[in-house]
């Protein structure tokens, strides 16, 4: 029964495709925006991320998720911009992310 539950929990990942971005570069924005622009609908960020602006403009049905437990923090490296730009977006899920 436990194996069946584990498989059912993994089905959304397998069916829709998950893109994992491991952060740690001086600017993680290009890697995150490339993942968001791909066909993946679930983008998972690992570790603290240095970002200017994550572009979710006019996107639909994307989940942007961190690791939880304060592990995934977004550190803005430029002032005066939106850390996450959601202009015109619908059905976006953002969870387990902290903006420092």
């Amino acid at each position: 029964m436990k194996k069946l539950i584990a498989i059912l929990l993994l089905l959304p990942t397998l069916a829709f495709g998950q893109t994992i971005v491991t952060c740690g570069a001086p600017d993680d924005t290009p890697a995150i925006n490339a993942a968001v622009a791909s066909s993946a609908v679930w983008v998972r960020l690992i570790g603290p991320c240095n970002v200017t602006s994550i572009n979710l403009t006019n996107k639909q049905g994307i989940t942007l998720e961190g690791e939880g437990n304060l592990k995934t923090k977004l550190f803005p490296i430029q002032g005066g911009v939106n850390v996450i730009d959601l202009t015109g977006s619908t059905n976006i899920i953002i969870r387990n992310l902290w903006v420092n």
Side-chain angles (χ1 to χ4, degrees):
M1 185 63 156
K2 289 181 181 179
K3 288 182 181 180
L4 177 61
I5 292 171
I7 290 171
L8 291 175
L9 291 174
L10 286 175
L11 280 179
T13 303
L14 299 173
F16 299 115
Q18 177 185 34
T19 300
I20 297 174
V21 177
T22 302
C23 298
D27 186 358
D28 296 303
T29 307
I32 297 169
N33 284 338
V36 168
S38 73
S39 59
V41 296
W42 185 2
V43 177
R44 185 147 192 239
L45 305 179
I46 306 296
C49 303
N50 300 307
V51 297
T52 50
S53 182
I54 298 172
N55 186 8
L56 291 173
T57 304
N58 297 320
K59 299 290 182 185
Q60 296 178 2
I62 293 177
T63 298
L64 183 64
E65 180 177 25
E67 295 179 274
N69 294 329
L70 296 172
K71 290 182 180 178
T72 306
K73 293 182 183 179
L74 303 179
F75 292 95
I77 56 176
Q78 179 180 346
V81 297
N82 297 320
V83 174
I84 301 174
D85 188 352
L86 293 166
T87 305
S89 297
T90 59
N91 206 18
I92 303 293
I93 298 170
I94 298 174
R95 63 178 166 223
N96 295 329
L97 294 174
W98 286 261
V99 178
N100 203 24

